[in-house]
């Protein structure tokens, strides 16, 4: 019997404690549903591979179809079930604490109001869905690693439904998060590109899209309006006008945002001194870098890194 997620009884289902990395694959039939009136203490990532699910978080809702990555932030009441009319819902799921950069990648896919923290990453192009499937299989294998020998390369065959793993060791947790990060990055990057090239960004000049992609691919390079314009065969004035009108921000503002994001990733993933992070991200002055980084992330670079590792 189909169950509407909004009609589920207010009986709270448990969620993994904060700090754990848990991953699994479910294949559910009509009648399956979960409700958490207080939300979860961790983020929930769902990747649908068959059938459809219905997800509600706060006042926002989404139907999760094959190929959709639907993400629920912590602390917001939510409920989900096999979508009405769907014969099943086959999906990967992962509970964990999201790395700081992930919220930036997910932001363009926010549904409803920001407090609802519901993200639907769609359309994820079919050409990359096998990569996401492999990333989740690898995450399952990484989470089960004991630290002895080499971790498995991933599930060679499709894991049976109901398979769940909890990453207990530090190395297993970090490896599992790296696998999930690759899935989130690939899904958000390709889905955003698809939207920009389709109805969501119809009319954007291909030359402007190429310049935007060049900034994102190498934010630390010595880009200027003149060099970016020359790369796409436009005059500097025409390029700046088109870029600002079509993307809603100037080329230099877009470059600053890309450099700050790149710097945040370097602080998260490396032990490079702050001065070298500044240089690698394209900032000539570490003092300027520290000031604008604090404006963007609410803490100076050193404190930002310490907060992640504390």
């Amino acid at each position: 019997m189909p169950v509407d997620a909004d009609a589920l009884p207010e009986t709270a289902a448990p969620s993994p404690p904060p700090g754990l990395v848990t991953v699994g694959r479910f294949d559910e039939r009509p009648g399956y549903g979960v409700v958490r009136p207080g939300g979860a203490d961790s983020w929930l990532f769902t990747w649908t591979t068959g059938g459809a699910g219905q997800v509600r978080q706060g006042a926002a809702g989404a139907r999760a179809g094959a190929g959709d990555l639907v993400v629920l932030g912590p602390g917001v009441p939510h409920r989900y079930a096999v979508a009405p009319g769907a014969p099943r819902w086959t999906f990967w799921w992962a509970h964990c604490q999201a790395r700081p950069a992930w919220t930036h990648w997910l932001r363009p896919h926010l549904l409803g109001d920001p407090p609802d923290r519901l993200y639907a990453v769609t359309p994820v192009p079919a050409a990359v869905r096998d990569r996401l499937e492999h990333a989740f299989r690898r995450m399952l294998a990484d989470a089960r690693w004991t630290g002895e020998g080499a971790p498995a390369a991933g599930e060679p065959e499709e894991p049976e439904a109901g398979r769940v793993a909890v990453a207990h060791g530090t190395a297993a947790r970090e490896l599992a998060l790296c696998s999930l990060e690759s899935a989130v990055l690939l899904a958000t990057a390709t889905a955003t590109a698809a939207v920009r090239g389709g109805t969501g960004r119809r009319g954007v000049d291909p030359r402007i899209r190429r310049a935007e992609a060049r900034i994102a691919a190498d934010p630390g390079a010595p880009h200027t309006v003149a060099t970016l314009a020359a790369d796409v065969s436009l005059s500097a004035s025409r390029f700046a006008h088109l870029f600002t009108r079509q993307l809603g921000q100037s080329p230099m503002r877009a470059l600053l945002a890309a450099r700050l994001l790149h710097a945040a990733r370097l602080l998260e993933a490396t032990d490079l001194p702050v001065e070298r992070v500044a240089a690698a991200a394209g900032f000539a002055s570490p003092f300027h870098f520290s000031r604008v980084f604090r404006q963007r992330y609410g803490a100076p670079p050193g404190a930002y890194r310490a907060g992640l590792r504390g």
Side-chain angles (χ1 to χ4, degrees):
M1 179 117 183
V3 171
D4 189 318
D6 290 330
L8 289 170
E10 294 292 329
T11 301
S15 63
L20 285 185
V21 176
T22 310
V23 57
R25 179 182 177 273
F26 285 171
D27 186 4
E28 304 294 343
R29 299 299 189 271
Y32 166 81
V34 170
V35 59
R36 296 190 177 101
D41 293 324
S42 55
W43 288 72
L44 172 59
F45 295 78
T46 68
W47 165 251
T48 298
T49 58
Q54 181 189 44
V55 181
R56 298 286 304 179
Q57 172 137 308
R63 181 182 174 90
D68 293 341
L69 180 71
V70 177
V71 182
L72 291 75
V76 183
H78 67 234
R79 55 188 67 214
Y80 50 88
V82 176
R88 66 200 303 172
W89 184 20
T90 308
F91 63 102
W92 286 93
W93 58 267
H95 276 281
C96 66
Q97 296 301 324
R99 287 174 169 169
W102 299 3
T103 56
H104 179 85
W105 303 341
L106 289 165
R107 191 173 300 133
H109 308 280
L110 177 70
L111 297 181
D113 295 324
D116 294 325
R117 307 181 82 179
L118 177 63
Y119 307 86
V121 184
T122 180
V124 175
V128 300
R129 293 180 189 178
D130 284 348
R131 283 283 301 274
L132 266 71
E133 174 73 18
H134 179 72
F136 276 96
R137 293 187 188 190
R138 191 175 66 243
M139 184 183 182
L140 182 65
D142 290 339
R144 295 206 309 262
W145 187 43
T146 64
E148 297 181 1
E155 296 287 334
E157 304 294 336
E158 183 173 288
E160 62 189 48
R163 182 74 66 88
V164 177
V166 178
H168 292 289
T170 300
R173 287 197 301 271
E174 291 304 311
L175 282 172
L177 285 173
C178 286
S179 295
L180 180 58
E181 181 169 88
S182 69
V184 175
L185 175 56
L186 188 59
T188 54
T190 55
T192 299
V195 170
R196 287 175 176 174
T199 56
R201 293 281 290 274
R202 192 179 301 278
V204 175
D205 191 303
R207 295 168 296 184
I208 301 303
R209 287 201 295 268
R210 290 202 305 273
E212 184 185 29
R214 186 177 294 275
I215 289 172
D218 191 7
H223 300 298
T224 65
V225 171
T227 61
L228 291 167
D231 285 339
V232 296
S233 302
L234 287 170
S235 70
S237 59
R238 179 61 176 163
F239 168 74
H241 173 74
L242 283 176
F243 193 104
T244 303
R245 188 184 72 187
Q246 296 185 359
L247 300 187
Q249 61 181 337
S250 71
M252 291 299 98
R253 185 170 291 276
L255 177 60
L256 176 61
R259 285 177 170 173
L260 288 171
L261 177 59
H262 183 52
R265 290 173 179 166
L266 290 173
L267 290 167
E268 293 163 16
T270 76
D271 292 317
L272 288 172
V274 170
E275 293 78 8
R276 290 188 62 187
V277 169
F283 292 92
S285 165
F287 301 104
H288 172 66
F289 165 62
S290 183
R291 179 172 62 82
V292 295
F293 189 93
R294 182 170 188 165
Q295 290 172 349
R296 179 61 178 269
Y297 290 100
Y304 176 86
R305 172 182 274 164
L308 294 176
R309 301 180 181 184

